Amino acid sequence: SQQGEEDPQALSIQEGENATMNCSYKTSINNLQWYRQNSGRGLVHLILIRSNEREKHSGRLRVTLDTSKKSSSLLITASRAADTASYFCATPSPGTSYGKLTFGQGTILTVHP
Amino acid sequence: GAVVSQHPSWVICKSGTSVKIECRSLDFQATTMFWYRQFPKQSLMLMATSNEGSKATYEQGVEKDKFLINHASLTLSTLTVTSAHPEDSSFYICSALTLNTEAFFGQGTRLTVV
């Protein structure tokens, strides 16, 4: 079953704006990852945040994790047309730590030039 | 980062035939690989865990006789869709686990069964 629920399902913004995507999960985890998928392509790993971290940055990406609310957010700042893609959060399947992942439903981000 | 190569990128086959998809870790050894399936506009669903030298572990609802997995070496896992039907048309993606427990994904295989 899908553990992660993401919102919004779709997000349309203009270049230069920020994009925020949210993910909720159900069971306890020790890490959460975010991936990007361009249309019809494989997954690109964006960032991993561990359960003892509250916030993590990587370039224009900012990820937060609230284990008390079982939720995470991905913020892309100063978005570009090239950021257009689907974004998924992923958590380890219950009883595992890495690799065997349960994915959220994903957010389709469209950045208009 | 580590590179995982999936082949073919896309394949069209006739109903009733079998199709083999390869997943290779190019610059690292992977004792564990995973196979996912993704239907259009949906998320990825784990199908099975492939372990080198042993039988694969399938997720609930995935037919092991239909989706044959072989992990004969530390760098190669194959998924064979047997007696394919149009409902098997999907995007299949593998991932390989490195020793430091990071998973890298292949570029995926789009299967169309006609």
Side-chain angles (χ1 to χ4, degrees), chain A residues 2 37 42 98-99 101 104, chain B residues 36 38 43-45 59 101 107:
Chain A
Q2 287 294 313
Q37 183 181 36
Y98 297 95
L101 301 174
Chain B
Y36 295 83
Q38 183 181 32
S43 188
L44 285 78
M45 294 288 289
E59 295 300 302
T101 66
Q107 69 269 42

Side-chain angles (χ1 to χ4, degrees), chain B:
Chain B
V3 178
V4 176
S5 176
Q6 215 173 310
H7 177 82
S9 297
W10 58 271
V11 58
I12 301 173
C13 71
K14 292 183 178 180
S15 285
T17 62
S18 296
V19 174
K20 180 183 287 187
I21 302 170
E22 295 185 345
C23 179
R24 291 181 185 273
S25 55
L26 296 187
D27 50 1
F28 67 99
Q29 294 182 332
T31 56
T32 304
M33 294 185 177
F34 303 93
W35 288 95
Y36 295 83
R37 180 167 56 185
Q38 183 181 32
F39 291 108
K41 300 189 187 302
Q42 294 188 26
S43 188
L44 285 78
M45 294 288 289
L46 179 67
M47 298 176 67
T49 302
S50 171
N51 299 296
E52 187 269 335
S54 64
K55 290 183 178 180
T57 305
Y58 290 81
E59 295 300 302
Q60 193 171 11
V62 178
E63 300 174 59
K64 60 180 68 176
D65 293 332
K66 181 167 186 61
F67 299 100
L68 300 179
I69 292 173
N70 185 285
H71 194 152
S73 78
L74 287 171
T75 59
L76 174 65
S77 175
T78 60
L79 168 69
T80 301
V81 182
T82 63
S83 187
H85 289 281
E87 56 265 32
D88 298 324
S89 297
S90 186
F91 193 59
Y92 294 87
I93 309 177
C94 70
S95 71
L97 204 59
T98 65
L99 286 177
N100 66 357
T101 66
E102 186 171 354
F104 289 87
F105 283 80
Q107 69 269 42
T109 297
R110 181 159 305 284
L111 170 64
T112 302
V113 185
V114 298

